[in-house]
Amino acid sequence: MSDCLFCKIIAGEIPSNKVYEDDVCFAFYDIAPQAPTHFLVIPKEHISSVSAVNAENSAVVAHIFEVIAKLAAEKGMESYRVVSNIGEQAGQSVFHLHFHVLSGRDMTWPPG
Ligand code: AMP
């Protein structure tokens, strides 16, 4: 999608601190980290949010969770949080599906 920030990051048009890439997804460190480790995992296909996941594209999400588990294991992350904000009221600011992976500090529940 031409005016999407994360599509531009995937295309290399905007620089990012890459963590991982394969044919399906791309992972990079968040520019404004909310924990000592904070990266985002996004599909290469433009999907606006979890609310746009369906039978045709859900395999992408399953793959992303495999990648999150693999990256967490590689980084020795034993405890971490995976978050996806859906809609402005929930805090979504970039409308390209992404999963925040946060680790390295105590976290509270419920989230703010
Ligand atoms: P959300 O607010 O849940 O939509 O998450 C979007 C995230 O993207 C925020 O945590 C931002 O800090 C992050 N972000 C925005 N622009 C960039 C960028 N150029 N590189 C890395 N992360 C970014």
Side-chain angles (χ1 to χ4, degrees), residues 60-76:
V60 168
V61 178
H63 178 77
I64 284 174
F65 274 83
E66 283 184 43
V67 167
I68 289 171
K70 178 171 120 66
L71 293 175
E74 284 174 6
K75 294 177 180 302

Side-chain angles (χ1 to χ4, degrees), residues 1-5 7-8 13:
M1 199 178 180
S2 60
D3 62 346
C4 170
L5 172 68
C7 285
K8 287 179 179 169
E13 294 166 16

Side-chain angles (χ1 to χ4, degrees), residues 91-107:
Q92 186 175 10
S93 61
V94 179
F95 288 79
H96 181 126
L97 177 64
H98 51 284
F99 295 93
H100 297 259
V101 181
L102 303 123
S103 182
R105 65 166 170 82
D106 293 339
M107 295 189 194

